[in-house]
Amino acid sequence: MDIYDCVTSSKDFLNLQREVQQDMLAKAVLLISKDTTYSYAFAQALSCLLLNNGESIKNENYERVMLGSHPDVKTYPQKDKLLVADSEEIVLESYALPVQADKKIFIIKNFDSSMESAQNKLLKILEEPPKNVYMILTCANINQVLPTIRSRCNKYELAKVDSRAIDDFLVGSENKDIIKSLCDGYLGKAQELEKLKNLSNLFESAVSIITELKTSKQVLIYSKKLIDNKEYFPLFIEILSLALEDILNLKNRKTLRMPFMKDKLTMVEGEYSLKAICEIQNLLNKAVKEQFYNTNVTLIIENLILNILEVKYICK
């Protein structure tokens, strides 16, 4: 199953499909999801649905939309974020007649990263779009979208992908359990993790810090493992945080995010007090902030692992 199939089988999509079939879909739609890959795939699938008059089929329209070559489906921004020039072009293009279909569709990705001036340029066209013109916007943070834009769109908060769909998407993956735990229902993230050929080794290196780090002599060993793969530092932090979360879940007898790690985590549960878990999580948050401000990653990693060991024993 690919992302398109996951989208078209979701409840959110089926609800919108009924709106399309009943000719009730708003001309301006705002799709909200932290999973930007998924929301863009959703926008493409919705475009196909409009072109095919409510039918979810993989025909020529589907092929051309997916390839970005359909003359009546335009995707913006052309660079990293929507600029005033993009908005002006959208307005002009919206008044031109369709080339092939009976509709024109504009997909504007990551609208929340757009310049305010670029958003303002679209106010009128969103309020009174020309006949058979649809605007599909995607965003991760609706608070970064102007209130005047929000009021002109029908807003749809896309649900996370359910576990069964993730399973279908990851059929045949060697790292299925790891990816499912890390992606947390975000299909775009699952897709990116699936591309990492060394994911299993990265995961093992991170988890072993929680499950096997006992002495100061090991600090250099684990530091080297992370430093050798420092481009994946945010992923290491995420895995460490997830392991701590599951130790806390074990203590509170809650469902684990990583059930396949239950035996290993159970063996070290007693080594981590509630205070230690809280303090180590604070260390992880601090490391993320330090990296954001371009602090030396090697130094961050060395200090982090040493501090995790210290906290683990001080907070027994």
Side-chain angles (χ1 to χ4, degrees), residues 181-227:
S181 299
L182 289 170
C183 77
D184 192 27
Y186 293 120
L187 207 58
K189 186 173 182 180
Q191 187 179 52
E192 290 303 311
L193 290 169
E194 175 66 12
K195 294 176 183 177
L196 293 181
K197 294 181 180 179
N198 58 340
L199 177 62
S200 180
N201 290 333
L202 295 173
F203 182 84
E204 185 179 341
S205 295
V207 171
S208 63
I209 292 171
I210 299 298
T211 60
E212 298 176 23
L213 181 62
K214 310 286 184 185
T215 68
S216 57
K217 291 181 180 179
Q218 294 173 291
V219 171
L220 287 176
I221 297 172
Y222 287 110
S223 294
K224 187 177 186 308
K225 285 183 180 180
L226 268 63
I227 291 168

Side-chain angles (χ1 to χ4, degrees), residues 1-27:
M1 180 182 284
D2 59 19
I3 286 188
Y4 179 87
D5 293 324
C6 289
V7 166
T8 55
S9 62
S10 69
K11 290 182 180 178
D12 290 325
F13 186 82
L14 295 175
N15 288 336
L16 281 177
Q17 184 172 23
R18 283 191 286 273
E19 291 189 25
V20 172
Q21 290 171 344
Q22 296 168 11
D23 196 25
M24 294 176 62
L25 185 73
K27 294 295 184 69

